[in-house]
Amino acid sequence: MALAGLWENWRSQAGEWVRSFAIITTTPNELCAEIHNRMPVVLKPTAWPAWLGEEPADPTHLKALLAPYPSDEMTCWPVSARVGNVKNNEPSLIDRIGLQ
């Protein structure tokens, strides 16, 4: 999976080089709308070369890539509330909870 984003190198007022980035969001699909009012733009592998500038793409084509990812190609399950704390960083965070 790849998320659409933008990055930039820039010099701060203190003269230090800063690398910054942003993940681009869009309106949620039906699945994600139950969770939040926006979702990251997920790019299909066929879109990667255009998004990364490896092949020519006009602005209209690139803007069309910023659509919600199809719900029927995604899976969602409940996870621990520990996901919401940046101090937690381990594989078990994506384990399904609530099923016995």
Side-chain angles (χ1 to χ4, degrees):
M1 177 185 350
L3 304 179
L6 301 170
W7 65 271
E8 181 68 56
N9 289 325
W10 51 279
R11 197 176 291 271
S12 72
Q13 290 182 345
E16 299 172 326
W17 279 103
V18 178
R19 284 188 172 178
S20 61
F21 71 94
I23 294 173
I24 300 173
T25 61
T26 188
T27 55
N29 60 24
E30 297 82 14
L31 182 66
C32 293
E34 296 177 21
I35 301 167
H36 204 276
N37 65 355
R38 65 179 186 230
M39 67 180 286
V41 172
V42 179
L43 298 172
K44 293 186 176 191
T46 54
W48 298 356
W51 186 259
L52 296 173
E54 296 170 351
E55 66 182 32
D58 60 65
T60 303
H61 174 70
L62 293 173
K63 283 183 180 181
L65 298 176
L66 304 180
Y69 198 81
S71 291
D72 61 349
E73 295 182 30
M74 298 177 79
T75 304
C76 180
W77 61 83
V79 295
S80 168
R82 294 175 45 248
V83 167
N85 186 332
V86 297
K87 292 180 182 178
N88 300 322
N89 185 15
E90 58 188 75
S92 68
L93 292 175
I94 63 171
D95 289 347
R96 185 182 303 250
I97 63 165
L99 299 177
Q100 300 293 342

